[in-house]
Amino acid sequence: MSHIVYLVPLFPLIGFLINGLFWKSMPKSLGGAIGSLAILASFIVSLGIFFEVRSAGFHGPVIVRLFDFISSGTLHVPFAFQVDALSSLFLLIITGVGFLIHVYSTSYMHEDEGMVKYFAYLNLFVFSMLLLVLGANYVIMFIGWEGVGLCSYLLIGFWFKNRDYTNAAKKAFVMNRIGDLGFLVGMLLVLFHFGTLSYKELFGMMNSGVSVSPSVYNWIALCFFIGATGKSAQIPLYTWLPDAMAGPTPVSALIHAATMVTAGIYMIARSGVLYSLTPGVLHVVAFIGLATAIVAATIAICQYDIKKVLAYSTVSQLGFMFLALGVGAYTTAVFHVMTHAFFKALLFLGSGSVIHAMGGEQDIRKMGGLGKHMPVTRATFLIGCLAISGIPGLSGFFSKDEILANVFGHSAVLYIFAVMAAMMTAFYMFRLYFYTFGGKFRGTEEQHHHLHESPAAMTIPLVVLALLSIVGGYVGLPSVMSHHNAFASFLAPVVKNFGVHHLSHGTEWGLMGLSVAVSVIMIGVAYSTTRNVEFKENTGLAKVLENKWYIDELYDATIVRPLAALSKLMDTWAERRGIDGIVNGVGKTVRWGGDRLRLLQSGHVGSYIFVMVLGIVILFTISFFWVK
């Protein structure tokens, strides 16, 4: 089915065009059905492609060339898709989880006036992400890369009448453009030094040892990583992602689980050949990833907005993925992308179910005791919390512990900090769970009266994602549990680990036992600290964490305000008094001259003849003496 891979992005594009062109007149239910069926059709085709790639008869990668996109001199960039193990896996994640989010949205957004437009944007988002992962060269990847940035702007600011939401959308857009500039510069360096942007040609040259300075590889890898820090919300470009909670909750699930934020991990995994040639850059990737994981986890500990806790959780988990990439465990990072897509989509959609029942309330201090009224949401949310905390038997346990094992083999110091981040993950997730579903209800009587379980269109996706969060990790059993890691074997033709140290079975069992033990302890701590608690204003370090280490305020003081002041200065002196002054001065001068000349227009023909003759005489006299 590889030859019809173009249908995978085509279906969402058609859904976008239909809903986008007729959103004012189309019934809401029809718009939701068209948007959902478009993604379902893509998922079915993706499923066929995945099993074809998985079959023994597949000899990839398969390049499906559609048409010539750029042809100038020696530069030829086709609009082509590449089908291999990595792209086929991401197709399943994007379309599978994306379809569940679309179905969920049909109920969650059914009262919104712009529901059809919402599904148009959602389809365009999925289309852009599919372009990103299917592209056979960096140009097509970059088109999808920019597309998801545009769609995030449209969806984060979907409720554009709220100024705070539009500011959040602009923040996401601008911060991503900063990272995108790095990615673009990296592409230009690749083109200048290698003359191609095709993965197959470029990585073939690198594997063959083409004569290029090592510094060139380093600069390209660093530029690509700058792009990844923007899309995948790493330090210092991570602050846009928590603010992305301004959009509808299903949008948060799509951005955080199945699409945009995974783009950076995909790009680095796809470029594994390049990064394996730049071990120094990999150290930077690992350090930034670990720092992001820890900083975001500390912030999540003291947040009270249910979606903000999950947002900082996403930033922290993305840090774990980059940490894995930084120690050369590319397949492990992709493995965590997959499992994270399952349980993070589950958690976000679960939070949406809670917000729906609470009439829009997001403050967990005003919740409590919801488990009695929402048994399905509670059970599935608990599975998500257990999975992300790394409890044995669930998907997050296998991928998270594989990351920790690879980090331990690389550096014991990095491992200690990574375990600390994992400990905080278990604490803040169960703090969130106990505040939301445990104890007594702390909201208003009106909210209590309207508490109810969400409709089937919302709970069925929760159940499916909960099942995936349970079984999804068994495709990547570690060597200590199985002689064959099916996930790593599947990706081996495309993604190969670099410099990973293999541990003894005893060491692996010990590391797993340690990580599980600390997670269980932190769950107990979360339970004890959330019982019969009285909410008081935070002080000291807790206040700092609640205010997110004041990073946004720091950026505002050092970047936003100085730029705003400079812009105002340039507007006043350079534009208004400089450029406008010159242009307006010319106009005023011409007008003044015209006013003076108008005085000569007396209307008497004799006067005009006299002036003409006088002028001729003067010009003749001047020219005569000039010649002399």
Side-chain angles (χ1 to χ4, degrees):
M1 295 185 69
S2 298
H3 63 286
I4 60 170
V5 67
Y6 61 87
L7 292 177
V8 179
L10 181 61
F11 288 130
L13 180 60
I14 293 173
F16 159 70
L17 292 174
I18 295 173
N19 282 336
L21 291 173
F22 305 105
W23 72 273
K24 288 187 177 181
S25 58
M26 185 179 295
K28 294 180 184 178
S29 57
L30 180 59
I34 290 173
S36 301
L37 289 174
I39 307 303
L40 177 61
S42 293
F43 175 70
I44 292 171
V45 178
S46 299
L47 204 60
I49 292 172
F50 175 79
F51 283 113
E52 179 184 306
V53 172
R54 191 170 174 269
S55 67
F58 182 81
H59 302 288
V62 173
I63 307 297
V64 179
R65 185 181 180 127
L66 301 179
F67 55 86
D68 286 335
F69 184 56
I70 298 175
S71 184
S72 176
T74 59
L75 175 63
H76 299 282
V77 179
F79 199 100
F81 295 149
Q82 180 165 318
V83 179
D84 55 26
L86 186 62
S87 60
S88 65
L89 175 67
F90 270 84
L91 290 186
L92 281 187
I93 296 172
I94 296 164
T95 58
V97 177
F99 171 66
L100 294 174
I101 293 171
H102 276 69
V103 172
Y104 181 98
S105 296
T106 58
S107 177
Y108 190 87
M109 298 291 291
H110 76 281
E111 294 182 358
D112 196 284
E113 295 179 358
M115 177 177 169
V116 179
K117 180 173 65 173
Y118 165 85
F119 273 97
Y121 291 164
L122 222 57
N123 275 187
L124 183 63
F125 203 158
V126 174
F127 164 76
S128 299
M129 189 66 191
L130 291 171
L131 273 190
L132 192 154
V133 301
L134 276 176
N137 53 67
Y138 284 111
V139 174
I140 307 304
M141 178 192 279
F142 191 71
I143 294 173
W145 191 274
E146 292 300 295
V148 293
L150 168 64
C151 293
S152 68
Y153 170 77
L154 295 173
L155 286 166
I156 293 169
F158 182 74
W159 290 316
F160 56 87
K161 293 181 180 179
N162 186 312
R163 179 58 64 87
D164 290 337
Y165 293 176
T166 55
N167 287 339
K170 288 187 288 185
K171 182 177 181 179
F173 191 80
V174 170
M175 293 194 80
N176 271 273
R177 297 292 75 71
I178 296 170
D180 295 350
L181 177 61
F183 188 14
L184 183 59
V185 171
M187 288 172 55
L188 294 175
L189 288 173
V190 169
L191 185 62
F192 179 80
H193 289 282
F194 297 93
T196 182
L197 290 167
S198 165
Y199 305 145
K200 188 175 181 180
E201 295 176 5
L202 175 64
F203 300 149
M205 292 181 187
M206 290 181 177
N207 284 323
S208 64
V210 64
S211 179
V212 175
S213 170
S215 63
V216 172
Y217 289 127
N218 288 328
W219 280 113
I220 294 172
L222 276 174
C223 287
F224 281 177
F225 178 58
I226 291 171
T229 60
K231 275 292 177 290
S232 295
Q234 298 296 287
I235 291 175
L237 302 177
Y238 74 94
T239 57
W240 70 267
L241 191 57
D243 287 3
M245 299 302 97
T249 303
V251 172
S252 303
L254 193 63
I255 291 176
H256 287 244
T259 55
M260 185 169 172
V261 297
T262 64
I265 291 92
Y266 171 82
M267 185 261 286
I268 293 181
R270 172 64 74 187
S271 309
V273 174
L274 165 65
Y275 281 88
S276 297
L277 296 172
T278 58
V281 177
L282 284 181
H283 291 154
V284 175
V285 174
F287 176 78
I288 294 295
L290 181 59
T292 303
I294 292 175
V295 169
T298 58
I299 295 174
I301 287 174
C302 290
Q303 298 303 304
Y304 293 104
D305 185 312
I306 187 171
K307 289 174 66 176
K308 284 288 181 72
V309 176
L310 296 178
Y312 281 106
S313 167
T314 298
V315 177
S316 184
Q317 294 302 305
L318 290 168
F320 271 104
M321 297 172 203
F322 277 96
L323 176 59
L325 292 170
V327 298
Y330 305 135
T331 59
T332 305
V334 175
F335 186 28
H336 199 56
V337 167
M338 184 188 74
T339 60
H340 179 262
F342 298 151
F343 57 70
K344 187 50 63 68
L346 169 61
L347 290 168
F348 265 111
L349 297 186
S351 72
S353 182
V354 169
I355 295 168
H356 178 266
M358 291 288 296
E361 181 60 66
Q362 297 182 196
D363 192 333
I364 58 177
R365 290 172 292 189
K366 300 177 182 178
M367 299 179 187
L370 301 187
K372 304 175 214 175
H373 308 277
M374 310 177 69
V376 177
T377 301
R378 176 181 185 173
T380 53
F381 202 91
L382 175 60
I383 291 172
C385 290
L386 291 170
I388 195 173
S389 300
I391 301 303
L394 288 88
S395 60
F397 164 75
F398 298 104
S399 57
K400 187 203 73 172
D401 274 77
E402 190 172 325
I403 291 175
L404 292 176
N406 283 305
V407 172
F408 180 82
H410 186 80
S411 168
V413 175
L414 293 181
Y415 172 78
I416 292 172
F417 284 104
V419 170
M420 291 172 58
M423 290 172 58
M424 288 186 280
T425 301
F427 174 78
Y428 65 67
M429 286 309 306
F430 275 89
R431 167 183 174 271
L432 172 64
Y433 175 79
F434 291 130
Y435 273 149
T436 304
F437 296 100
K440 296 180 181 180
F441 185 70
R442 298 180 294 274
T444 64
E445 283 297 325
E446 183 180 356
Q447 289 174 328
H448 189 266
H449 179 71
H450 289 92
L451 288 178
H452 61 282
E453 184 58 272
S454 298
M458 294 172 65
T459 55
I460 290 175
L462 292 179
V463 172
V464 174
L465 288 167
L467 291 173
L468 291 172
S469 298
I470 295 172
V471 305
Y474 288 92
V475 298
L477 292 175
S479 59
V480 73
M481 296 182 180
S482 173
H483 295 295
H484 177 69
N485 187 320
F487 189 86
S489 299
F490 175 70
L491 289 179
V494 186
V495 181
K496 295 180 180 178
N497 290 337
F498 170 73
V500 171
H501 299 274
H502 296 284
L503 307 174
S504 66
H505 289 348
T507 302
E508 285 194 55
W509 281 116
L511 295 176
M512 281 190 282
L514 175 61
S515 64
V516 171
V518 296
S519 294
V520 171
I521 291 171
M522 296 312 294
I523 292 172
V525 173
Y527 176 73
S528 64
T529 56
T530 54
R531 294 185 63 192
N532 304 319
V533 66
E534 292 184 8
F535 295 102
K536 299 178 182 178
E537 185 175 352
N538 287 323
T539 58
L541 180 60
K543 185 71 173 178
V544 174
L545 297 181
E546 184 182 356
N547 286 281
K548 304 161 287 187
W549 291 104
Y550 295 100
I551 299 297
D552 282 301
E553 289 78 3
L554 176 64
Y555 286 175
D556 186 63
T558 59
I559 299 174
V560 178
R561 291 182 186 177
L563 283 177
L566 179 61
S567 299
K568 188 175 181 179
L569 182 67
M570 295 297 289
D571 176 65
T572 301
W573 290 97
E575 184 172 354
R576 296 179 185 272
R577 300 186 181 181
I579 298 173
D580 283 356
I582 294 172
V583 173
N584 293 335
V586 171
K588 290 178 179 178
T589 302
V590 172
R591 184 175 179 179
W592 180 86
D595 290 342
R596 304 285 83 74
L597 289 173
R598 188 174 59 188
L599 299 176
L600 299 176
Q601 298 175 348
S602 63
H604 299 290
V605 175
S607 299
Y608 296 161
I609 294 173
F610 174 74
V611 171
M612 290 175 60
V613 171
L614 180 62
I616 292 170
V617 171
I618 292 173
L619 289 173
F620 177 80
T621 303
I622 292 173
S623 61
F624 177 79
F625 284 105
W626 184 268
V627 171
K628 287 287 186 177

